[in-house]
Amino acid sequence: MTLAELIAQARTALDTAIATRTQEQDALVALRSDENLTEDAVRAQVSARDAADAEVTRRQQALDELLAEEAREAEIAALQARNTPAAHRAPAYDQVARVGAEERTYRPDQDRRGAAFERDVAAAFLGDYEARDRLSRHMAEERVERGDQLQRAAGTGAFAGLVVPQYLTDLYAPAAAAKRPFADAIRRHDLPAQGMTVNLSRITTSSSVDNQSAENAAVAEQDMDDTLLTFSVQTAAGQQTLSRQAVERGAGVEAIVLDDLFRRYATNLDSKLLNQAATGLSAVATAVAYTDATPTVAELYPKVLEGLSGVEAALLDLASGDNLAVMHSRRWYWMQNAMGTTWPLISQPGIAAQLSGTNLGTTYGSGVRGTLPNGTPVIVDNNIATNLGAGTNEDEIYLVDRNECHLWEDPSAPMYIRAEQAKAANLGILMVVYGYYAYTHSRLPHARKIGGTGLITPTFTGV
């Protein structure tokens, strides 16, 4: 395994450790907002968070060591390139020893067009050490025979056709993606190994209990009944056909394309959870209307509490209290722009009364971004549509119980197919990324969504 591959592996391990640490911190924040929390539970969660912290530190140190080693290797290579005799004037004919049988590295009689030299320049750029050695020998030969000419002050602009461009492939700019903030925040399960549908039983007619009308009189009885909830296993997939030349002659092309396919896969899955017709969160959530020609954060917040009240009323004793507010980034920043002189009459756990919530200072897609004044964690997700309503300029805010939004995913998803035979006649390589998943927000219908003219494109006026 090369040093570059080890660094890539270390980066992946660090990303995983950071994601685990974020999950533990989110769990700690949620736990502290629980009215029934115990000191032992908090202590255990803090211990889990600290362990995840230690793992992040360990992974970071391992990555730093590899990066330091890479930097040192680059320094050594640069030192080796500089550590050659300085150019000097060629000595007089009778002051130098000559070997009659010694031949030049690149000979005009063998390579009149200089193709071998050009190939070595390209190969050296791609890391071919033997090509670099041949070029170094060539430069030493040039210093001996034409040192006086090499000392002339001609810049790279004089040799535009000979100066090889350097492409910073490690700093390529990928296409931005919304990815999967909501999908990573909800309750996840392993998808069963077989079948294309998932069935759940829901008790829709409960039993009955009432006071007995008289001694020995019949007691209340109600036959229980269930309804089968069936939802489909869906297949998300994308493909890209690359020329063999792009893969074999390019620098990191295959890895860049694969990374982009993975990003599109994550974005598609999350978008379907939110926006898919009939089953997406927007389709199944009960609407809470916020109609206002001049919306303000102070007027919106009571609608948030109305929605959370509806979530709890729907779930009753099955409510976990682990609620989420899911909104677009434009709405999150709009809520932060408000200034005011009043605050809630009832303080909330961990939230100062004078504040309108807290911003945890995390980046997009890294989990909980902050909390609302009543302690509800906020997930920012830019897969939320912003073209809703009659004016096609509204977004929505979703209020859910995290534990009643279910996502089943194949543990190996997304999977990768690299097929060469299918496009062999065209010298093409087919790359396919795919995965299976299923989801439901309707096991216990409860979700609420705030929508209406009060959620048009925000203006940042401080109210």
Short mmCIF file of all heavy atoms in Angstrom, two decimals, residues 13 49 61 97 161 204 225 249 259 311 314 317 341-343 346 352 387-388 400 418 429 444 452:
data_model
loop_
_atom_site.label_atom_id
_atom_site.label_comp_id
_atom_site.label_asym_id
_atom_site.label_seq_id
_atom_site.Cartn_x
_atom_site.Cartn_y
_atom_site.Cartn_z
N ALA A 13 -10.95 6.99 8.21
CA ALA A 13 -11.11 6.60 9.61
C ALA A 13 -11.40 7.80 10.49
O ALA A 13 -12.23 7.74 11.41
CB ALA A 13 -9.84 5.89 10.08
N ARG A 49 -19.32 10.04 25.04
CA ARG A 49 -18.88 11.16 24.22
C ARG A 49 -17.37 11.37 24.34
O ARG A 49 -16.65 11.60 23.36
CB ARG A 49 -19.63 12.41 24.63
CG ARG A 49 -19.51 13.64 23.67
CD ARG A 49 -18.32 14.52 23.99
NE ARG A 49 -18.14 14.80 25.37
CZ ARG A 49 -18.78 15.77 26.04
NH1 ARG A 49 -19.62 16.55 25.41
NH2 ARG A 49 -18.53 15.96 27.33
N GLN A 61 -4.09 12.13 15.22
CA GLN A 61 -2.65 12.00 15.40
C GLN A 61 -2.06 11.06 14.34
O GLN A 61 -0.98 11.32 13.79
CB GLN A 61 -2.35 11.47 16.80
CG GLN A 61 -2.62 12.50 17.90
CD GLN A 61 -2.46 11.92 19.29
OE1 GLN A 61 -2.39 10.69 19.46
NE2 GLN A 61 -2.41 12.78 20.29
N ALA A 97 38.76 15.16 -18.40
CA ALA A 97 38.91 13.77 -18.83
C ALA A 97 37.67 13.39 -19.62
O ALA A 97 36.55 13.73 -19.27
CB ALA A 97 39.06 12.87 -17.61
N GLY A 161 6.00 26.05 -24.73
CA GLY A 161 5.70 24.71 -25.21
C GLY A 161 6.45 23.62 -24.49
O GLY A 161 6.18 22.43 -24.71
N THR A 204 -54.80 -0.62 15.11
CA THR A 204 -55.67 0.51 14.77
C THR A 204 -56.98 0.50 15.56
O THR A 204 -57.67 1.51 15.62
CB THR A 204 -56.00 0.49 13.27
OG1 THR A 204 -56.45 -0.82 12.89
CG2 THR A 204 -54.76 0.83 12.46
N ASP A 225 -57.81 -4.91 16.77
CA ASP A 225 -57.61 -5.19 15.35
C ASP A 225 -56.37 -4.42 14.88
O ASP A 225 -56.04 -3.36 15.42
CB ASP A 225 -58.84 -4.77 14.53
CG ASP A 225 -58.79 -5.31 13.11
OD1 ASP A 225 -57.97 -6.23 12.85
OD2 ASP A 225 -59.54 -4.81 12.25
N ARG A 249 -4.82 7.28 -18.11
CA ARG A 249 -3.89 8.37 -18.37
C ARG A 249 -4.17 9.59 -17.51
O ARG A 249 -3.38 10.53 -17.49
CB ARG A 249 -3.95 8.78 -19.85
CG ARG A 249 -3.73 7.65 -20.83
CD ARG A 249 -2.30 7.19 -20.87
NE ARG A 249 -1.39 8.23 -21.35
CZ ARG A 249 -0.08 8.09 -21.43
NH1 ARG A 249 0.48 6.95 -21.02
NH2 ARG A 249 0.68 9.06 -21.89
N ASP A 259 -16.53 9.36 -6.04
CA ASP A 259 -16.93 10.23 -4.92
C ASP A 259 -18.17 11.03 -5.27
O ASP A 259 -19.09 11.18 -4.45
CB ASP A 259 -15.77 11.17 -4.58
CG ASP A 259 -16.16 12.21 -3.53
OD1 ASP A 259 -16.32 11.83 -2.36
OD2 ASP A 259 -16.31 13.39 -3.88
N VAL A 311 -47.46 16.87 17.58
CA VAL A 311 -46.66 15.64 17.58
C VAL A 311 -46.92 14.84 18.84
O VAL A 311 -47.15 13.64 18.82
CB VAL A 311 -45.16 15.99 17.43
CG1 VAL A 311 -44.30 14.76 17.70
CG2 VAL A 311 -44.87 16.54 16.04
N ALA A 314 -50.42 13.32 19.09
CA ALA A 314 -50.62 12.15 18.23
C ALA A 314 -49.99 10.90 18.83
O ALA A 314 -50.51 9.79 18.67
CB ALA A 314 -50.04 12.41 16.84
N ASP A 317 -48.50 8.42 25.02
CA ASP A 317 -47.49 7.74 25.85
C ASP A 317 -46.37 7.12 25.02
O ASP A 317 -45.36 6.69 25.58
CB ASP A 317 -48.14 6.67 26.72
CG ASP A 317 -48.70 5.52 25.90
OD1 ASP A 317 -49.28 5.78 24.82
OD2 ASP A 317 -48.55 4.35 26.32
N THR A 341 -36.62 42.30 22.37
CA THR A 341 -36.44 42.76 23.75
C THR A 341 -37.21 41.91 24.74
O THR A 341 -37.21 42.18 25.94
CB THR A 341 -36.93 44.21 23.87
OG1 THR A 341 -38.31 44.28 23.48
CG2 THR A 341 -36.10 45.13 22.99
N THR A 342 -37.91 40.86 24.26
CA THR A 342 -38.69 40.00 25.16
C THR A 342 -38.13 38.60 25.12
O THR A 342 -37.36 38.23 24.25
CB THR A 342 -40.16 39.97 24.74
OG1 THR A 342 -40.25 39.45 23.40
CG2 THR A 342 -40.76 41.37 24.76
N TRP A 343 -38.53 37.77 26.07
CA TRP A 343 -38.11 36.38 26.11
C TRP A 343 -39.21 35.54 26.74
O TRP A 343 -40.13 36.07 27.36
CB TRP A 343 -36.79 36.22 26.86
CG TRP A 343 -36.76 36.90 28.21
CD1 TRP A 343 -37.24 36.42 29.38
CD2 TRP A 343 -36.22 38.18 28.50
NE1 TRP A 343 -37.05 37.31 30.38
CE2 TRP A 343 -36.40 38.41 29.87
CE3 TRP A 343 -35.59 39.16 27.74
CZ2 TRP A 343 -35.99 39.56 30.51
CZ3 TRP A 343 -35.17 40.32 28.37
CH2 TRP A 343 -35.36 40.51 29.74
N ILE A 346 -41.43 31.07 30.51
CA ILE A 346 -41.04 29.79 31.11
C ILE A 346 -39.68 29.40 30.56
O ILE A 346 -39.51 29.24 29.35
CB ILE A 346 -42.08 28.69 30.78
CG1 ILE A 346 -43.46 29.10 31.32
CG2 ILE A 346 -41.64 27.35 31.36
CD1 ILE A 346 -44.56 28.12 30.95
N ALA A 352 -30.78 29.77 28.33
CA ALA A 352 -30.97 31.01 29.08
C ALA A 352 -32.26 31.68 28.62
O ALA A 352 -32.56 31.72 27.42
CB ALA A 352 -29.78 31.93 28.87
N ASN A 387 -39.65 25.83 -3.50
CA ASN A 387 -40.53 26.32 -4.59
C ASN A 387 -41.98 25.96 -4.33
O ASN A 387 -42.75 25.75 -5.26
CB ASN A 387 -40.07 25.73 -5.92
CG ASN A 387 -40.14 24.20 -5.93
OD1 ASN A 387 -40.31 23.57 -4.88
ND2 ASN A 387 -40.00 23.61 -7.11
N LEU A 388 -42.37 25.91 -3.07
CA LEU A 388 -43.72 25.51 -2.71
C LEU A 388 -44.66 26.72 -2.68
O LEU A 388 -44.21 27.87 -2.72
CB LEU A 388 -43.71 24.80 -1.35
CG LEU A 388 -42.75 23.61 -1.22
CD1 LEU A 388 -42.73 23.09 0.21
CD2 LEU A 388 -43.14 22.51 -2.19
N VAL A 400 -40.91 16.48 14.06
CA VAL A 400 -41.10 15.04 14.14
C VAL A 400 -40.51 14.50 15.43
O VAL A 400 -39.65 15.14 16.06
CB VAL A 400 -40.43 14.31 12.95
CG1 VAL A 400 -41.04 14.74 11.63
CG2 VAL A 400 -38.92 14.54 12.95
N ARG A 418 -17.87 -2.01 -11.13
CA ARG A 418 -16.94 -1.51 -12.16
C ARG A 418 -16.89 -2.54 -13.27
O ARG A 418 -16.34 -3.62 -13.10
CB ARG A 418 -15.55 -1.31 -11.56
CG ARG A 418 -14.54 -0.65 -12.50
CD ARG A 418 -13.19 -0.55 -11.80
NE ARG A 418 -12.24 0.31 -12.48
CZ ARG A 418 -11.44 -0.07 -13.47
NH1 ARG A 418 -11.48 -1.33 -13.91
NH2 ARG A 418 -10.59 0.78 -14.02
N ILE A 429 -15.18 2.17 -19.59
CA ILE A 429 -15.33 1.52 -18.29
C ILE A 429 -16.61 2.06 -17.66
O ILE A 429 -16.76 3.27 -17.49
CB ILE A 429 -14.13 1.80 -17.37
CG1 ILE A 429 -12.85 1.22 -17.99
CG2 ILE A 429 -14.35 1.21 -15.98
CD1 ILE A 429 -11.59 1.56 -17.22
N LEU A 444 -46.36 5.34 13.27
CA LEU A 444 -47.28 6.05 14.17
C LEU A 444 -47.42 7.46 13.61
O LEU A 444 -46.57 8.31 13.86
CB LEU A 444 -46.73 6.09 15.60
CG LEU A 444 -46.62 4.74 16.33
CD1 LEU A 444 -45.90 4.92 17.66
CD2 LEU A 444 -48.01 4.14 16.56
N GLY A 452 -46.82 27.90 4.39
CA GLY A 452 -47.70 29.02 4.08
C GLY A 452 -46.91 30.23 3.66
O GLY A 452 -45.67 30.20 3.54
#
